[in-house]
PDB file of all heavy atoms in Angstrom:
ATOM      1  N   ASP A  43     -31.870  86.119  17.182  1.00  0.00           N
ATOM      2  CA  ASP A  43     -31.557  86.005  18.607  1.00  0.00           C
ATOM      3  C   ASP A  43     -30.877  87.275  19.126  1.00  0.00           C
ATOM      4  O   ASP A  43     -29.999  87.839  18.474  1.00  0.00           O
ATOM      5  CB  ASP A  43     -30.642  84.781  18.824  1.00  0.00           C
ATOM      6  CG  ASP A  43     -30.790  84.176  20.197  1.00  0.00           C
ATOM      7  OD1 ASP A  43     -30.414  84.844  21.175  1.00  0.00           O
ATOM      8  OD2 ASP A  43     -31.305  83.037  20.292  1.00  0.00           O
ATOM      9  N   THR A  44     -31.303  87.738  20.309  1.00  0.00           N
ATOM     10  CA  THR A  44     -30.618  88.815  21.033  1.00  0.00           C
ATOM     11  C   THR A  44     -30.762  90.188  20.373  1.00  0.00           C
ATOM     12  O   THR A  44     -29.941  91.076  20.576  1.00  0.00           O
ATOM     13  CB  THR A  44     -29.108  88.488  21.215  1.00  0.00           C
ATOM     14  OG1 THR A  44     -28.948  87.095  21.503  1.00  0.00           O
ATOM     15  CG2 THR A  44     -28.495  89.271  22.355  1.00  0.00           C
ATOM     16  N   TRP A  82     -34.099  85.409  28.122  1.00  0.00           N
ATOM     17  CA  TRP A  82     -33.070  84.544  27.535  1.00  0.00           C
ATOM     18  C   TRP A  82     -33.700  83.452  26.687  1.00  0.00           C
ATOM     19  O   TRP A  82     -34.924  83.264  26.687  1.00  0.00           O
ATOM     20  CB  TRP A  82     -32.101  84.005  28.588  1.00  0.00           C
ATOM     21  CG  TRP A  82     -32.631  83.083  29.641  1.00  0.00           C
ATOM     22  CD1 TRP A  82     -33.491  83.405  30.664  1.00  0.00           C
ATOM     23  CD2 TRP A  82     -32.313  81.696  29.802  1.00  0.00           C
ATOM     24  NE1 TRP A  82     -33.720  82.304  31.434  1.00  0.00           N
ATOM     25  CE2 TRP A  82     -33.002  81.239  30.949  1.00  0.00           C
ATOM     26  CE3 TRP A  82     -31.502  80.800  29.102  1.00  0.00           C
ATOM     27  CZ2 TRP A  82     -32.914  79.928  31.401  1.00  0.00           C
ATOM     28  CZ3 TRP A  82     -31.409  79.486  29.562  1.00  0.00           C
ATOM     29  CH2 TRP A  82     -32.106  79.061  30.687  1.00  0.00           C
ATOM     30  N   THR A  83     -32.841  82.743  25.970  1.00  0.00           N
ATOM     31  CA  THR A  83     -33.264  81.949  24.820  1.00  0.00           C
ATOM     32  C   THR A  83     -34.260  80.822  25.135  1.00  0.00           C
ATOM     33  O   THR A  83     -35.293  80.710  24.471  1.00  0.00           O
ATOM     34  CB  THR A  83     -32.010  81.338  24.144  1.00  0.00           C
ATOM     35  OG1 THR A  83     -31.073  82.389  23.898  1.00  0.00           O
ATOM     36  CG2 THR A  83     -32.367  80.643  22.848  1.00  0.00           C
ATOM     37  N   ASP A 273     -35.936  86.818  20.373  1.00  0.00           N
ATOM     38  CA  ASP A 273     -36.343  86.155  21.617  1.00  0.00           C
ATOM     39  C   ASP A 273     -36.140  87.032  22.850  1.00  0.00           C
ATOM     40  O   ASP A 273     -36.799  86.845  23.871  1.00  0.00           O
ATOM     41  CB  ASP A 273     -35.626  84.805  21.789  1.00  0.00           C
ATOM     42  CG  ASP A 273     -34.105  84.920  21.736  1.00  0.00           C
ATOM     43  OD1 ASP A 273     -33.593  85.957  21.269  1.00  0.00           O
ATOM     44  OD2 ASP A 273     -33.433  83.945  22.136  1.00  0.00           O
ATOM     45  N   HIS A 274     -35.218  88.003  22.753  1.00  0.00           N
ATOM     46  CA  HIS A 274     -34.947  88.908  23.868  1.00  0.00           C
ATOM     47  C   HIS A 274     -33.982  89.969  23.376  1.00  0.00           C
ATOM     48  O   HIS A 274     -33.468  89.880  22.253  1.00  0.00           O
ATOM     49  CB  HIS A 274     -34.335  88.162  25.066  1.00  0.00           C
ATOM     50  CG  HIS A 274     -33.147  87.336  24.670  1.00  0.00           C
ATOM     51  ND1 HIS A 274     -31.906  87.887  24.439  1.00  0.00           N
ATOM     52  CD2 HIS A 274     -33.026  86.008  24.407  1.00  0.00           C
ATOM     53  CE1 HIS A 274     -31.074  86.934  24.078  1.00  0.00           C
ATOM     54  NE2 HIS A 274     -31.722  85.777  24.030  1.00  0.00           N
ATOM     55  N   TYR A 450     -22.848  81.452  29.121  1.00  0.00           N
ATOM     56  CA  TYR A 450     -24.048  81.009  29.831  1.00  0.00           C
ATOM     57  C   TYR A 450     -23.727  80.371  31.170  1.00  0.00           C
ATOM     58  O   TYR A 450     -24.544  80.353  32.075  1.00  0.00           O
ATOM     59  CB  TYR A 450     -24.852  80.031  28.970  1.00  0.00           C
ATOM     60  CG  TYR A 450     -25.774  80.730  27.994  1.00  0.00           C
ATOM     61  CD1 TYR A 450     -25.264  81.379  26.876  1.00  0.00           C
ATOM     62  CD2 TYR A 450     -27.134  80.751  28.199  1.00  0.00           C
ATOM     63  CE1 TYR A 450     -26.096  82.034  25.999  1.00  0.00           C
ATOM     64  CE2 TYR A 450     -27.984  81.399  27.335  1.00  0.00           C
ATOM     65  CZ  TYR A 450     -27.461  82.040  26.234  1.00  0.00           C
ATOM     66  OH  TYR A 450     -28.279  82.689  25.366  1.00  0.00           O
TER      67      TYR A 450
HETATM   68 ZN1   ZN B 501     -31.513  84.130  22.824  1.00  0.00          ZN
END
Side-chain angles (χ1 to χ4, degrees):
D43 208 293
T44 321
W82 65 291
T83 308
D273 56 344
H274 52 78
Y450 276 73

